Amino acid sequence: MLSESVFCLLTEDLLIRILDRVNSDRKSLRLVCKEFHRVESTTRKTIRILRIEFLLGLLQKYCNIESLDLSVCPRIDDGAVSVLLSHGSVNWTRRIKRLVLSRATGLGYVGLEMLIRACPLLEAVDVSHCCGYGDREASALSCAVRLKELNMDKCLGVTDIGLAKIAVGCSKLESLSLKWCLEISDLGIDLLSKKCLELKFLDVSYLKVTSESLRSIASLLKLEVFIMVGCYLVDDVGLRFLEKGCPLLKAIDVSRCNCVSPSGLLSVISGHEGLEQMDARYCLSELSAPLINGLKNLNHLNIIRINGVRVSDFILQIIGTNCKSLVELGLSKCIGVTNMGIMQVVSGCGNLKTLDLTCCRSITDVAISTIANSCPNLACLKLESCDMVTEVGLYQLGLSCLMLEELDLTDCSGVNDIALKYISRCSELVRLKLGLCTNISDIGLAHIACNCTKLTELDLYRCVRIGDDGLAALATGCNKLTMLNLSYCNRMTDTGLKCISNLGELSDLELRAIPNITSIGIKAVAINCKRLANLDLKHCEKINDSGFWALAFYAQNLLQINMSYCNVSDHVLCLLMSNLKRLQDAKLVHLTNVTVQGLELALRSCCGRIKKVKLQSSLRFSISSEILETFNARGCKIRWD
Amino acid sequence: MNPTGSLCANNWARSSSLVPPGNGLQTNLSLDPSSFFGVGIETPFKEINQPSPTQCVIPGESKKDVKITDQETSKLQDWDPSAMLNNLSFLEEKIHQLQDVVHMIVNKKFQPFEQPRELVTQEQQLITADLTSIIVQLISTAGTSSGIQPQNNCENKLFDHSIQNDVPNKCEMEQNHNMEEHEHKDEEDMEEGENLPPGSYEILQLEKEEILAPHTHFCTICGKGFKRDANLRMHMRGHGDEYKTPAALAKPHKETGSEPKLIKRYSCPYGGCKRNKDHKKFQPLKTILCVKNHYKRTHCDKSYTCSRCHTKKFSVIADLKTHEKHCGKDKWLCSCGTTFSRKDKLFGHIALFQGHTPAIPLEENKGLAEPPDRCDAKENSTMVGSMNFCFGSNPSSENGIDNMMDVKGNIDDPINYFSSLNFEGCNFGAFNEFSQPPFEDSDSSFSFLMSGSFNYAPKSGGESCSDNL
């Protein structure tokens, strides 16, 4: 009561200032007092809806939001939109600038158009992974005349016609991603380049466009980032158009463009000496001498990824001596990466923050020590499958790279408990991957748990020596973990699972094929891990109905579940599918105790909101076609295994 | 002569009645005196051959003739009297021959027995054929001396044609279509400026009823219309003996050719039309067919609707047929209503004109959504029509591209541009309704165009424009 009166005295703008300073967790801040709640409500700009039942209330409460995220909200369809828009005086749409509708597969073009027309200030829309979207939806999107940013990744039905609609309707577009819009051809890109002259970012990855498109794109004077991953029809002729065009180009990605050769890439480089980012993953087999010479001129290069290319010590030396400002170097799966090469490149590039050496199998501790000594700012190091790396190298890493946030040691058999002890000195670690490191045990994990308290992601896939003690240490130390993979750690039991249930932030948990865990452990997780969204229980055969019953009642935030090969009955499956209101993706293969009727009933019960189901292909013709049609009509995708 | 003749006739009669006819016939033939029959047969044979000899057997002469005439067309001053003399003597000889034959026939006629019908008609035909060839020769000879050579040549050709070309009953459609194409060309020529001085031609103006009558051939004397030219020619016989000659009946073009020149041009009866004779910048129409097509296209309702797209309308049935040929293929539709057979053409169009977007075809939609769209399309097509009036530089062009060009000029005008935006803003209110016809924005772009055209009219201040609007 006292505190309330204190805040009563402060004016609203003072409160707003206070809230601005406290930028950690607005949710708990809201709970402090009425004033905080009120101010938080009026100043909140972004909102991400998890459940549709609260949508209307939230939108009325937060009338000043500028960004609305409906990507994880099931059952957003045309009807829901019309209700949202027709309800009383519609205030909330007035200030909306950003709409995130990724995977909103239930929304059709009618609803989309209503929504977009209702938001006059709309500047950014994300409709990525709405696989069913086509030209009509694109046409609806084109109503947003102020649109600056549009993500249409994997809108599989969009053709040139739809793109033309958008190009004409949204001429102020600055950022457009058309990844996997497979129907779009040169014609559409050509028109886009003529109509949307403000474009700064363009992603045409995996489109069946040819070099002709690059001729058109070259005319975009403001283009800064151009991504064309997997455009297998584009060749050097196309890249030569870019040499003269796009004067402001800063980043280019020609990864997986099979027809691109070093000379084509060289022409881009020679036209743009200010290039900051160059991606050429898996498109070149070798770097030619002229291209290496060309690299010498790129003094502003920040990021270079040449995964899969044959390199030599000389090439790495050239990069090291010329690209002084390099921040990220990707040499994943490069052939010919030696200790010498690494030493030469890192000695020049002291600012490196990200270094990807995945599958560079010949590098040893010497290289790791040099990296550690030369790059004190290193934040991300990927050493997957670098077998020869041992605790010796990692010792130096733990000593020097205190900024390290991400470390990938997957499949490094040289990593043992001592190595983990050294690594644990990197107290800033956020993501740690130790999958397939069969030599680590609870002791090593305890070191990590004690020191790396900021860890949010931990991968212990097939770390078969990890047991309940290690998990107990983890649960006390790394209580910010959100993602944890314990698949195939077959020594762990319900005890370990109970410890894990103390991780309140946990959202992704993989427990695949752990034979000893039962319903008791799962129940603990279901009750305590309130944020649990993704759960993989495939092949956990000891979990019975009571475990799934607990999930059905407690894990209300569950978004994805894999319960293939689990012993669940008809009844509980129905309960689970109907009770979990957020569930959007379920893998239901080989449920031996479930009958076809039970499965049908379960499917009917979640029909309105689920977006993806995986079913056994042998059931394809036994499940009633009416259900399948309804699923299809609702934008739900069925995968047959 | 008489007894044999009668005997012979009897023989004929008998042979036909008797049972063994083959024998009788043979004997008859062998018995037949050459005195009369021989002549009867031989002369025709000669005569049959003769027409070709006149052209082929004396090739030196006739070819020379042709050559000369050819030269003559270029240089009329070169006249060769000796060649003329040759021709004349040749003709004289031929006339003598013909005279003999006719004499013979005349003599025969006085004989008491009847000749077989076939023979008489055969002789008649041969004589007329010979006569015509003589006439032709005569005319061509005359042509070498005077200036009417080209027509002569033309006549010759046409004469041959008319024999081959017995006015086959062609599909009317095709004919129309061809003619129409021809007409288009004519009009284009006209645009370039036929520049006939005003008094140099006769202006005819058909009445509206006449134009819309389902006839294509009109009597130049009384104006009666016919579907077929052959019928018209039959009709012409009633206007005087000059139309009864075989030549006049054979081909209609002859009379115009031989008449003294006063070119005929046509005026559209629609007041204010550029094709109307009272218009300041009158541009006459060349043929009656031009008049008919012009009048229907420009001043009549478009009553023929395409059975495929249900949107395009035409007033000339041939235009409809032409459209229907391509209609299925024209699946690339712009919001302005223009259709394209190729996607790249559509995209070129869209790239060129601000505000135009591709229209998404409706097929996938349920039937419910169709009627309103059809309305839209109608609105659009009439709109395009009105624009045709507006910018009437070429009223016959059916696809609005040229017109769009004019509109584009307006779009650059910021006021117009904003007016379209305003319209979208107005629409905005209607979006609370759940079931929304999917074509909303194409609708707006139609009206957008509309606003453009409205704004245009007062600015340009064209007299006819404002009338039509």
Side-chain angles (χ1 to χ4, degrees):
Chain A
M1 287 299 281
L2 189 76
S3 67
E4 194 178 305
S5 61
V6 166
F7 287 116
C8 278
L9 297 173
L10 298 175
T11 60
E12 189 155 306
D13 53 320
L14 277 175
L15 283 174
I16 291 172
R17 282 188 169 208
I18 293 168
L19 284 185
D20 283 346
R21 295 288 169 92
V22 188
N23 49 12
S24 61
D25 185 6
R26 294 179 69 112
K27 217 177 204 174
S28 43
L29 213 121
R30 203 168 58 208
L31 302 171
V32 171
C33 66
K34 274 185 184 172
E35 272 69 33
F36 273 26
H37 186 268
R38 185 173 51 80
V39 169
E40 206 269 339
S41 299
T42 51
T43 56
R44 183 174 267 273
K45 300 285 183 217
T46 67
I47 189 165
R48 186 165 180 257
I49 311 283
L50 298 186
R51 293 210 187 80
I52 190 153
E53 48 269 40
F54 305 129
L55 180 54
L56 209 55
L58 286 171
L59 289 177
Q60 279 166 352
K61 200 180 288 174
Y62 298 103
C63 49
N64 290 329
I65 48 160
E66 289 177 357
S67 166
L68 175 64
D69 186 344
L70 295 171
S71 61
V72 287
C73 183
R75 214 191 285 212
I76 282 290
D77 55 19
D78 295 354
V81 168
S82 68
V83 169
L84 280 180
L85 294 179
S86 62
H87 204 85
S89 55
V90 184
N91 263 336
W92 61 273
T93 57
R94 267 194 229 145
R95 292 166 196 267
I96 293 278
K97 284 185 179 167
R98 172 183 295 270
L99 269 179
V100 182
L101 299 168
S102 178
R103 292 177 212 275
T105 47
L107 195 61
Y109 62 92
V110 179
L112 189 63
E113 186 165 332
M114 282 194 284
L115 199 57
I116 280 167
R117 295 235 183 205
C119 304
L121 297 179
L122 201 61
E123 285 180 357
V125 177
D126 183 353
V127 290
S128 57
H129 300 281
C130 294
C131 302
Y133 274 21
D135 291 341
R136 279 167 207 291
E137 286 77 11
S139 168
L141 287 169
S142 70
C143 302
V145 284
R146 288 166 169 260
L147 207 63
K148 285 183 179 168
E149 204 181 317
L150 178 59
N151 187 343
M152 297 211 295
D153 289 357
K154 220 169 179 179
C155 292
L156 294 175
V158 175
T159 70
D160 291 335
I161 298 290
L163 182 60
K165 281 263 177 200
I166 287 166
V168 173
C170 319
S171 52
K172 292 175 182 169
L173 220 50
E174 289 176 8
S175 164
L176 178 63
S177 182
L178 299 170
K179 203 169 170 178
W180 289 307
C181 296
L182 299 176
E183 301 292 321
I184 288 172
S185 73
D186 289 339
L187 272 179
I189 298 295
D190 182 52
L191 190 71
L192 179 76
S193 317
K194 283 175 183 157
K195 297 282 181 182
C196 298
L197 303 175
E198 301 292 318
L199 272 178
K200 288 179 183 163
F201 174 96
L202 181 60
D203 187 344
V204 296
S205 296
Y206 302 101
L207 300 195
K208 287 175 199 151
V209 294
T210 67
S211 298
E212 276 307 301
S213 279
L214 270 69
R215 186 205 293 270
S216 322
I217 287 165
S219 66
L220 290 170
L221 297 177
K222 296 188 177 174
L223 196 70
E224 291 174 7
V225 182
F226 178 51
I227 298 173
M228 44 172 271
V229 178
C231 293
Y232 60 93
L233 296 175
V234 176
D235 56 16
D236 293 347
V237 178
L239 291 181
R240 268 176 217 123
F241 290 127
L242 288 186
E243 179 177 1
K244 300 269 157 48
C246 303
L248 299 179
L249 196 70
K250 289 196 173 78
I252 184 158
D253 190 343
V254 294
S255 301
R256 297 184 199 274
C257 295
N258 295 333
C259 292
V260 165
S261 81
S263 76
L265 200 55
L266 178 66
S267 55
V268 178
I269 288 172
S270 54
H272 302 90
E273 294 194 348
L275 209 64
E276 291 174 6
Q277 182 178 341
M278 189 180 85
D279 277 78
R281 290 165 291 158
Y282 309 108
C283 73
L284 310 173
S285 54
E286 277 184 330
L287 302 179
S288 65
L291 180 60
I292 294 159
N293 273 326
L295 285 176
K296 285 182 184 170
N297 300 323
L298 298 179
N299 299 319
H300 301 283
L301 204 64
N302 285 331
I303 299 173
I304 179 166
R305 300 189 190 104
I306 47 171
N307 303 4
V309 177
R310 174 182 293 279
V311 294
S312 64
D313 295 348
F314 173 68
I315 291 170
L316 292 176
Q317 187 198 341
I318 294 281
I319 293 173
T321 47
N322 293 291
C323 308
K324 294 284 184 196
S325 50
L326 214 58
V327 171
E328 180 174 346
L329 176 61
L331 296 171
S332 168
K333 301 205 178 184
C334 283
I335 304 157
V337 179
T338 63
N339 283 341
M340 188 52 124
I342 292 296
M343 284 154 77
Q344 275 166 337
V345 74
V346 295
S347 63
C349 307
N351 294 324
L352 266 185
K353 284 189 174 164
T354 302
L355 182 57
D356 186 353
L357 296 172
T358 302
C359 297
C360 297
R361 293 194 172 86
S362 54
I363 61 162
T364 66
D365 292 330
V366 183
I368 304 298
S369 302
T370 323
I371 290 167
N373 290 327
S374 316
C375 311
N377 297 326
L378 203 65
C380 171
L381 181 60
K382 295 188 177 177
L383 296 171
E384 183 183 339
S385 287
C386 296
D387 290 321
M388 290 151 87
V389 174
T390 66
E391 68 269 22
V392 180
L394 295 175
Y395 170 73
Q396 201 62 41
L397 202 67
L399 223 53
S400 312
C401 300
L402 298 178
M403 310 287 276
L404 205 62
E405 289 175 14
E406 182 172 356
L407 182 60
D408 186 351
L409 293 170
T410 306
D411 206 9
C412 293
S413 49
V415 175
N416 53 22
D417 289 338
I418 303 163
L420 289 189
K421 185 186 169 189
Y422 296 145
I423 289 167
S424 69
R425 298 188 57 175
C426 305
S427 54
E428 297 293 315
L429 265 182
V430 174
R431 281 175 292 277
L432 180 59
K433 292 193 171 185
L434 298 169
L436 295 159
C437 294
T438 45
N439 295 324
I440 61 168
S441 69
D442 292 340
I443 301 161
L445 194 57
H447 284 296
I448 297 288
C450 289
N451 299 310
C452 307
T453 50
K454 292 184 177 173
L455 216 55
T456 63
E457 288 179 33
L458 181 60
D459 183 1
L460 297 170
Y461 176 83
R462 282 189 202 268
C463 295
V464 287
R465 291 173 63 192
I466 299 288
D468 294 338
D469 297 341
L471 296 180
L474 201 65
T476 50
C478 308
N479 52 15
K480 287 188 177 161
L481 272 180
T482 59
M483 294 174 74
L484 182 59
N485 190 343
L486 294 168
S487 297
Y488 304 97
C489 296
N490 47 25
R491 282 175 67 177
M492 68 172 286
T493 66
D494 283 341
T495 321
L497 209 49
K498 275 182 190 166
C499 299
I500 284 168
S501 71
N502 292 325
L503 298 169
E505 303 285 314
L506 204 62
S507 68
D508 293 61
L509 182 59
E510 290 194 38
L511 299 169
R512 195 178 280 205
I514 303 174
N516 298 323
I517 56 171
T518 67
S519 299
I520 300 162
I522 286 298
K523 192 177 175 184
V525 169
I527 291 170
N528 294 314
C529 302
K530 296 269 185 240
R531 294 179 170 235
L532 198 64
N534 298 329
L535 182 61
D536 190 341
L537 296 174
K538 189 178 175 181
H539 278 297
C540 290
E541 280 148 24
K542 276 195 183 169
I543 301 173
N544 59 21
D545 275 353
S546 64
F548 290 107
W549 186 89
L551 284 175
F553 272 87
Y554 297 110
Q556 284 297 320
N557 281 322
L558 213 56
L559 203 74
Q560 267 185 62
I561 189 165
N562 186 349
M563 37 202 286
S564 301
Y565 298 93
C566 284
N567 291 313
V568 65
S569 69
D570 281 356
H571 178 68
V572 176
L573 181 67
C574 287
L575 195 70
L576 187 112
M577 298 294 274
S578 60
N579 217 30
L580 295 178
K581 295 282 188 275
R582 266 194 76 196
L583 196 66
Q584 293 184 22
D585 185 345
K587 295 188 174 72
L588 307 171
V589 183
H590 286 288
L591 304 176
T592 43
N593 294 344
V594 173
T595 63
V596 175
Q597 288 75 26
L599 192 61
E600 281 187 353
L601 203 59
L603 291 177
R604 275 183 215 278
S605 66
C606 65
C607 178
R609 52 182 184 271
I610 201 146
K611 291 175 184 169
K612 214 167 165 185
V613 188
K614 191 174 176 185
L615 299 173
Q616 211 167 323
S617 56
S618 60
L619 297 175
R620 192 168 205 152
F621 300 104
S622 28
I623 291 179
S624 91
S625 57
E626 173 233 324
I627 292 183
L628 303 183
E629 278 162 23
T630 319
F631 266 59
N632 203 21
R634 296 252 183 178
C636 173
K637 200 181 170 195
I638 300 178
R639 262 178 71 205
W640 299 98
D641 182 51
Chain B
M1 284 280 267
N2 272 356
T4 41
S6 63
L7 220 162
C8 187
N10 285 345
N11 270 350
W12 267 101
R14 227 185 295 144
S15 71
S16 59
S17 59
L18 279 177
V19 186
N23 253 350
L25 218 140
Q26 271 183 348
T27 49
N28 272 342
L29 281 173
S30 60
L31 276 173
D32 275 345
S34 60
S35 56
F36 81 99
F37 221 42
V39 174
I41 288 171
E42 260 175 34
T43 35
F45 268 138
K46 261 184 208 160
E47 294 303 324
I48 284 170
N49 287 338
Q50 236 149 8
S52 40
T54 48
Q55 287 159 349
C56 304
V57 170
I58 321 167
E61 220 138 2
S62 66
K63 273 201 179 153
K64 207 163 84 188
D65 233 24
V66 172
K67 263 184 209 162
I68 286 164
T69 57
D70 276 352
Q71 283 172 356
E72 225 90 37
T73 50
S74 51
K75 299 184 207 170
L76 282 173
Q77 289 86 351
D78 284 352
W79 174 52
D80 190 358
S82 61
M84 178 98 155
L85 198 65
N86 268 341
N87 281 349
L88 286 175
S89 52
F90 166 71
L91 280 170
E92 199 181 11
E93 205 181 295
K94 275 212 70 176
I95 288 169
H96 277 297
Q97 274 179 9
L98 205 61
Q99 229 174 351
D100 291 342
V101 176
V102 177
H103 263 296
M104 209 110 66
I105 294 168
V106 169
N107 287 339
K108 264 185 267 166
K109 272 197 176 161
F110 291 111
Q111 284 159 6
F113 65 91
E114 290 174 6
Q115 257 185 329
R117 263 266 163 79
E118 303 100 329
L119 276 177
V120 178
T121 50
Q122 207 181 10
E123 278 169 357
Q124 226 175 341
Q125 279 176 354
L126 289 168
I127 289 164
T128 43
D130 236 13
L131 268 172
T132 46
S133 95
I134 288 167
I135 293 167
V136 168
Q137 288 284 329
L138 196 63
I139 291 169
S140 82
T141 315
T144 54
S145 62
S146 71
I148 52 166
Q149 183 53 40
Q151 274 155 9
N152 261 335
N153 248 356
C154 170
E155 263 175 22
N156 265 337
K157 243 188 268 163
L158 286 168
F159 201 83
D160 291 345
H161 268 289
S162 70
I163 291 164
Q164 292 169 0
N165 213 3
D166 205 9
V167 194
N169 203 356
K170 271 187 196 166
C171 171
E172 232 168 74
M173 237 49 270
E174 245 179 67
Q175 224 172 3
N176 266 352
H177 178 57
N178 290 341
M179 285 169 154
E180 179 209 70
E181 278 179 5
H182 193 72
E183 193 243 0
H184 274 295
K185 250 183 228 165
D186 278 357
E187 287 200 350
E188 274 167 33
D189 288 347
M190 213 90 90
E191 300 295 346
E192 284 166 24
E194 202 190 21
N195 282 341
L196 288 171
S200 70
Y201 53 88
E202 180 186 4
I203 301 170
L204 298 176
Q205 183 171 300
L206 300 172
E207 283 316 302
K208 185 187 154 200
E209 290 73 25
E210 254 179 310
I211 289 171
L212 296 178
H215 304 133
T216 47
H217 303 278
F218 293 91
C219 173
T220 46
I221 293 166
C222 70
K224 191 170 169 28
F226 298 89
K227 272 188 177 175
R228 290 174 223 284
D229 185 54
N231 294 349
L232 170 63
R233 273 178 276 140
M234 291 302 284
H235 161 85
M236 291 308 283
R237 296 192 308 176
H239 283 303
D241 289 340
E242 67 264 40
Y243 298 106
K244 283 178 182 168
T245 61
L249 287 170
K251 52 165 174 141
H253 303 77
K254 189 170 187 172
E255 64 211 296
T256 56
S258 57
E259 265 175 25
K261 289 280 157 88
L262 189 61
I263 308 164
K264 280 179 188 162
R265 286 293 179 265
Y266 297 87
S267 154
C268 169
Y270 194 93
C273 174
K274 206 176 184 183
R275 305 299 200 175
N276 182 267
K277 58 189 173 188
D278 299 329
H279 192 277
K280 273 183 200 165
K281 296 174 180 175
F282 171 54
Q283 288 194 321
L285 292 152
K286 253 187 184 172
T287 66
I288 294 178
L289 196 71
C290 289
V291 177
K292 285 167 76 84
N293 282 342
H294 159 78
Y295 192 84
K296 284 186 194 165
R297 285 195 186 115
T298 335
H299 310 301
C300 289
D301 285 340
K302 300 187 177 203
S303 48
Y304 301 109
T305 312
C306 173
S307 58
R308 296 197 198 186
C309 63
H310 300 294
T311 50
K312 281 249 178 184
K313 293 185 167 216
F314 303 91
S315 45
V316 177
I317 200 157
D319 293 352
L320 170 70
K321 298 284 172 185
T322 321
H323 162 79
E324 277 184 338
K325 260 187 220 166
H326 304 284
C327 180
K329 296 168 207 158
D330 283 2
K331 53 179 180 174
W332 303 108
L333 179 67
C334 178
S335 56
C336 68
T338 319
T339 55
F340 300 87
S341 56
R342 280 165 53 182
K343 193 176 167 188
D344 55 332
K345 299 286 177 197
L346 168 65
F347 274 69
H349 169 85
I350 288 165
L352 206 56
F353 300 113
Q354 208 173 335
H356 290 212
T357 67
I360 296 165
L362 275 165
E363 272 88 302
E364 305 147 45
N365 249 347
K366 284 140 207 161
L368 269 173
E370 241 177 82
D373 174 61
R374 227 181 263 181
C375 275
D376 282 355
K378 197 193 227 163
E379 202 181 289
N380 166 51
S381 66
T382 53
M383 213 271 309
V384 170
S386 76
M387 287 192 355
N388 267 335
F389 290 124
C390 251
F391 312 110
S393 56
N394 50 347
S396 65
S397 89
E398 201 58 56
N399 60 356
I401 289 179
D402 299 346
N403 305 317
M404 295 312 160
M405 197 74 100
D406 290 339
V407 174
K408 196 203 166 199
N410 302 321
I411 294 167
D412 292 337
D413 207 329
I415 303 159
N416 292 329
Y417 191 72
F418 283 125
S419 77
S420 83
L421 287 179
N422 284 343
F423 187 85
E424 272 172 273
C426 291
N427 257 357
F428 167 66
F431 269 80
N432 289 334
E433 283 151 30
F434 186 63
S435 60
Q436 185 76 47
F439 246 62
E440 199 55 43
D441 90 309
S442 66
D443 180 42
S444 70
S445 66
F446 286 156
S447 54
F448 159 50
L449 276 176
M450 191 88 104
S451 71
S453 68
F454 273 118
N455 282 342
Y456 189 84
K459 253 185 257 171
S460 74
E463 315 93 327
S464 65
C465 293
S466 46
D467 280 359
N468 284 321
L469 271 172

